[in-house]
Each structure stands twice: as C-alpha cells, then as structure tokens.
Amino acid sequence: MKTIQRVVVTGRGVVSPVGSSIQDYWEGLFGGISAVRKITSFDTAKSACQIAGIVTDFDADAHFNFREKKSYERFTQFGLVAALQAAEEAKLQDFESDSGQIGVIIGTGVGGITSYAKAYDALFAGPEERPIDTYTIPRIMNSAVSSAISIRLGIRGPNITLNTACSSGANAIGQAMQWIREGRLRAVICGGSEAPVTYGLLRAWDALGVLSRKHNETPETACKPFDKNRRGFVLAEGAAILVLESLESAQKRNAEIFGEIAGFGSNCDAASLTNPDETGVAEAMRLALVDAELNPEDIGYINAHGTGTRLNDPLECRAIHKIFGDRASTLPVSSNKSVFGHAMGASSALEALATLLAVQNDCVPPTLNCDEQDPECDIDPVPTNSRKLKIEAALSNSFAFGGSNAVLAIRKWNP
Amino acid sequence: MESITRKKIEETCLETIAKEMGLKAGDLNEDMKLRDDLDIVSLDAMNIIMALEDEFNVEADIETVLEMQKVADIVDHLAERMHV
C-alpha cells in the first residue's frame, strides 16, 4: 500500500490585472493597488457596467510565435504563460525522464468565449454569412489550456480540464493535491485560467444584477465586499498556476518549498443553481479543516469568496461564524475581488495563490472599499491596508453557481 | 466586369496566404511548398481556401485541397474550377 504523501508547493506563476509575475502580484495585491479599469477593448456605451479587472502588462508577442498566437485564445495564453513561470520556478526539468509522473489539471469557467463571439458574428452579424475561421474549435475548447501546457512542457501524465464555474481553479488544485497525496503522481501543474471580458458576457452577468454599475467613473471603488453600500463585483481576467509536489519528491531534489496544501473541502449545496447556501458553504470549510487535521483555532486568516454582492457576503460571514464561533468577529477575512475583480474560473486559483503568499510572508492582503462595514458582515475585513500577522495556516474559500464549493487549507512550510 | 486571369488568381492566392500566415506577399511565389516552405497545415489551408472561395465566388474541392503540395496547385485548382 502506498504511503500518504504530504503535498507542497514548489512552483508558482501568475498573469493578473495587478501584475504578471509573482513579485508584481505580491506588490499590487498586498499593496492594495486597485486594478479595476475602464474596458477599452470594445464599446461599452450600452452597458450599465463598463469596467473590469484587465491584464495590461501581457505581451503575447513576447511569448508566442505566429502559429501559437493563431491557435491559442487569450485564456490559453494566460494559463500557458503562468504555467511556464511555475515550471521554471519548480525546475521541472528535473523530471525529464519521468514526465508520466507529472499531471496537469486546470480549471476554467467559460474557456475560449472570444472565439465563440467571432464565429457567431461571422454567421449572423453581416448581411451574409462569412467563413468561420478554422482555428475556432481549437481556440474555443476549454481543454486547450491544459493541453497547451502538456504539449509545451512535454508532460505525459493525466491531462484534465475541470469546470465548476467560479470554484474551478480551487477544485483543480484540490484534485491535484489528492492525486499526489494518494501516491498516484509525483507532481501536478494545477490552477485556473480565464479571459471572460467580452461584450456578450458582460451584458449577461449584468442581466443578473450582480455587477457593480455605479462606479464607471471611479472604477477603483466599484467592488466593496462587506461594506453596507456594496452593489456587486466586476469581471476580471487572469491565470494562477501552481506546481504541487509530494514532500518526498521535493526533498529528494532539494526543491524550494513555498507552503503546504494541507486540506481540501469540496461539496455541493444541492440547493440552487444561483443562490449560495449557508449550510453547504460552512460544511465545505469544515471538510477542509478535517482533511488538513487542523482545528478552527489554527486558522489565522480566511481569504474570502467575498464577491461584494448583497447576498454572498453576509451569508459567507454567517457560515464563518458557524465554524469559528465568537472568534469569527475578530478573524481577519479579506476579499481579493475588491482589488482586481472576479476572474470566474481563475478567481479561486488567484486567491489560493494570494493565500499561499499571505501564509508564507505573514501578511494579510487588504479588502479595498470597505469604508462602512455592514454589521451583517461580522468579521475583521482588514480594510484598506495589508496587515503583518503571524499566520500558521489559512483557508481560501470559493463558492460557485451550481452550489459547487471548494475550500483549500494552506499551511506554512516549516522545514 | 474584369475577366479573371490565372495571374490574378495567383496574386490573390499569394496575398491570402501572406495574410493567413503573417508573411509578406512579395516574399512568396507559386513554386513554394505549402508545408515545408510556408508551414501551412490543414487548418491554415482551409482558412486560405475559404477566403479564396469567397473572393472568387467559387467552390473548391476539399479532398483535392487537402492533397495539395505547392502554391501552384491551389492556383491551378481554382483556375480549373473557374474555367480560366
């Protein structure tokens, strides 16, 4: 019987609205520098919400040749570039003769949605149909991102793309952790990637009434998690990719260790396609703690799902009280979505990376725009500025339409 | 209406290939091999043929297109379909 393996992080990569390197992500997010901006890639005049978290420092020409640019949609490009950063940091070339022992599992919510729009335009937008680009299918397919990573890095283990809407990235990281823990694989490249800022999707999310509409002229104030005046989130794009590895493998090759993925709670509310459920959300946190063999008092920080919608924030805070009791009122709980928006299937991976950085550096990233805390959100939202704080372990919460919750427990690595 | 010549088909073909493959039309000629010289794979070839079909209002034979080796093969095929 195989031994249960501890699972550690040995590589990290990111493309995000606050920056597209680990250093830039750290400085932007923990510095509380908002990356919500006016959308300029299409005309937003008819949209009530005209802002989003946009990646501005990404130069596709620096990373891809002509054929790759033709073949890879923006979400695939983001995911591949973040994966290459993570693979380089983890020195995955050490596995050269053992690439069947590495897996890839990536979460995405809407995949290559930009190419869907172009294909429909070709069919319906003009007086006559125009030819549909033959690269439409490889650009659209959700699995393009995980496949592109395996192809570029020559990785021959399992290659999976996973979709659980806004918890996709966290579920991918959790699944990767389980593969390694069970001894099936030595290492897994995992995370989430998304590029959902298209006109159609902007209008579709706005139709649900969950996008912030009142701050088009002051985008940095748009998302106000836990605040009395919160009115929703803004869309965002980006990717965060981790290399997870068994502790045994990492120690054998003297790899640098950035933290431990200690537990994973994954469940379903089984209640509603769109409304979160307090019981299910609390249970996901409890499952993550049990899986990590941690007690609630071991947790020094919670990276919230924190969408800034009327419905989510008080419900998430009540669920935190269910698990953490009276201590919840003073527990640091912050929302990265206040800084760079909601990157759908990638958001939970970006937030898991933020949680890892928080635990590694003993620093909690802030919640921006929580100026008048809602008494219904009875937690410590760490407003405005990041906070130095000793953190041994933290939770990263992610909840999704469909009721698919994923909570990761991340522990500091103490050699 | 301007009558279509083989020369016109060749020029349009080179321009279409250049656009699809990110190249300059002036650097191309019809003796070039699609795969070895121009890195054209089946997806690119289909995009090129669809654009040319649109341009000349003609239907190419897909099976023939996928067997083509050189730029001249595309030009010849289109010329044949247009009775040029």
Side-chain angles (χ1 to χ4, degrees):
Chain A
M1 191 181 150
K2 288 174 175 168
T3 354
I4 298 291
Q5 297 284 334
R6 287 175 73 184
V7 181
V8 293
V9 180
T10 54
R12 307 158 301 169
V14 66
V15 171
S16 84
V18 290
S20 299
S21 68
I22 293 296
Q23 187 62 30
D24 288 350
Y25 187 66
W26 160 258
E27 285 173 11
L29 179 60
F30 287 72
I33 301 164
S34 172
V36 180
R37 304 173 171 97
K38 274 270 192 190
I39 295 167
T40 56
S41 55
F42 52 84
D43 182 7
T44 58
K46 291 182 182 167
S47 176
C49 175
Q50 302 173 347
I51 55 180
I54 306 290
V55 173
T56 55
D57 62 351
F58 185 80
D59 178 11
D61 291 333
H63 302 286
F64 301 111
N65 62 29
F66 186 76
R67 172 165 308 291
E68 288 170 323
K69 276 193 292 178
K70 247 168 106 164
S71 308
Y72 296 158
E73 254 258 15
R74 192 166 168 86
F75 87 108
T76 303
Q77 295 183 8
F78 286 170
L80 179 51
V81 166
L84 293 174
Q85 290 173 26
E88 188 182 354
E89 186 172 66
K91 300 185 175 65
L92 272 194
Q93 64 272 21
D94 289 358
F95 287 74
E96 204 170 88
S97 60
D98 204 12
S99 72
Q101 275 294 298
I102 307 177
V104 177
I105 182 165
I106 307 295
T108 188
V110 295
I113 192 159
T114 311
S115 291
Y116 273 110
K118 282 183 183 158
Y120 289 137
D121 280 353
L123 291 180
F124 305 122
E128 286 179 9
E129 283 189 11
R130 285 170 287 128
I132 291 183
D133 192 299
T134 53
Y135 281 83
T136 301
I137 295 299
R139 288 174 67 90
I140 281 176
M141 58 190 212
N142 289 355
S143 58
V145 59
S146 59
S147 295
I149 292 167
S150 288
I151 290 166
R152 175 69 84 94
L153 292 168
I155 291 171
R156 295 182 179 278
N159 183 285
I160 308 285
T161 298
L162 175 157
N163 183 349
T164 58
C166 299
S167 58
S168 301
N171 267 317
I173 294 168
Q175 185 59 52
M177 185 268 268
Q178 289 178 332
W179 281 342
I180 298 168
R181 186 188 265 180
E182 293 163 2
R184 288 168 188 265
L185 294 168
R186 271 178 72 188
V188 181
I189 296 174
C190 57
S193 189
E194 202 84 274
V197 187
T198 61
Y199 186 56
L201 206 64
L202 181 74
R203 296 297 298 267
W205 276 105
D206 188 55
L208 287 172
V210 294
L211 294 187
S212 176
R213 296 172 168 181
K214 305 282 183 196
H215 298 87
N216 290 327
E217 301 312 316
T218 52
E220 64 281 358
T221 65
C223 184
K224 304 170 181 293
F226 315 121
D227 187 276
K228 272 202 279 198
N229 300 309
R230 67 187 180 281
R231 289 290 182 274
F233 58 87
V234 299
L235 293 182
E237 58 181 4
I241 305 286
L242 302 176
V243 174
L244 304 192
E245 188 172 352
S246 72
L247 177 61
E248 188 180 292
S249 167
Q251 286 181 327
K252 197 180 283 178
R253 62 187 193 97
N254 289 319
E256 186 176 357
I257 292 172
F258 301 102
E260 178 179 7
I261 306 297
F264 174 43
S266 181
N267 72 344
C268 186
D269 297 335
S272 163
L273 266 182
T274 52
N275 288 358
D277 175 76
E278 193 178 314
T279 307
V281 161
E283 176 64 5
M285 283 187 266
R286 192 189 70 79
L287 289 169
L289 289 169
V290 169
D291 192 47
E293 298 182 349
L294 289 166
N295 295 311
E297 54 269 28
D298 299 323
I299 298 299
Y301 164 58
I302 296 177
N303 187 301
H305 186 55
T307 52
T309 57
R310 300 303 302 170
L311 202 56
N312 175 84
D313 296 359
L315 180 143
E316 184 171 7
C317 292
R318 285 196 302 274
I320 291 171
H321 273 262
K322 270 190 177 169
I323 302 298
F324 291 86
D326 290 343
R327 184 172 162 250
S329 303
T330 55
L331 187 62
V333 177
S334 67
S335 166
N336 301 154
K337 292 181 178 79
S338 66
V339 181
F340 57 74
H342 189 345
M344 316 274 99
S347 62
S348 53
L350 287 159
E351 292 161 14
L353 172 62
T355 310
L356 180 79
L357 290 169
V359 171
Q360 190 189 349
N361 296 290
D362 287 320
C363 187
V364 175
T367 301
L368 299 187
N369 309 314
C370 184
D371 304 319
E372 284 183 76
Q373 188 176 348
D374 186 343
E376 297 285 311
C377 300
D378 183 21
I379 43 86
D380 174 357
V382 195
T384 314
N385 298 309
S386 59
R387 188 186 301 163
K388 290 299 282 183
L389 185 75
K390 192 84 180 151
I391 310 167
E392 285 303 318
L395 295 183
S396 183
N397 282 353
S398 301
F399 317 131
F401 272 14
S404 177
N405 308 307
V407 177
L408 294 166
I410 298 178
R411 185 155 49 201
K412 189 193 294 296
W413 174 245
N414 292 307
Chain B
M1 188 184 138
E2 187 192 349
S3 66
I4 293 171
T5 61
R6 193 183 182 287
K7 186 72 187 160
K8 171 70 181 161
I9 296 171
E10 182 196 330
E11 281 170 12
T12 308
C13 193
L14 294 178
E15 283 163 16
T16 305
I17 289 172
K19 188 176 170 202
E20 179 66 25
M21 302 307 294
L23 302 167
K24 286 184 188 151
D27 295 341
L28 310 182
N29 66 65
E30 67 170 335
D31 291 328
M32 286 179 155
K33 290 181 181 159
L34 299 176
R35 184 66 205 251
D36 295 345
D37 297 332
L38 298 168
D39 193 28
I40 291 172
V41 299
S42 60
L43 293 184
D44 306 316
M46 292 304 298
N47 265 349
I48 291 162
I49 291 298
M50 284 193 298
L52 290 168
E53 284 179 328
D54 232 32
E55 179 71 26
F56 292 116
N57 197 23
V58 64
E59 199 172 319
D61 178 66
I62 300 297
E63 299 295 325
T64 310
V65 166
L66 293 174
E67 294 296 317
M68 289 175 179
Q69 302 293 320
K70 291 194 300 183
V71 175
D73 296 338
I74 302 178
V75 179
D76 288 342
H77 180 66
L78 291 174
E80 187 191 323
R81 303 293 278 193
M82 289 186 280
H83 310 292
V84 172

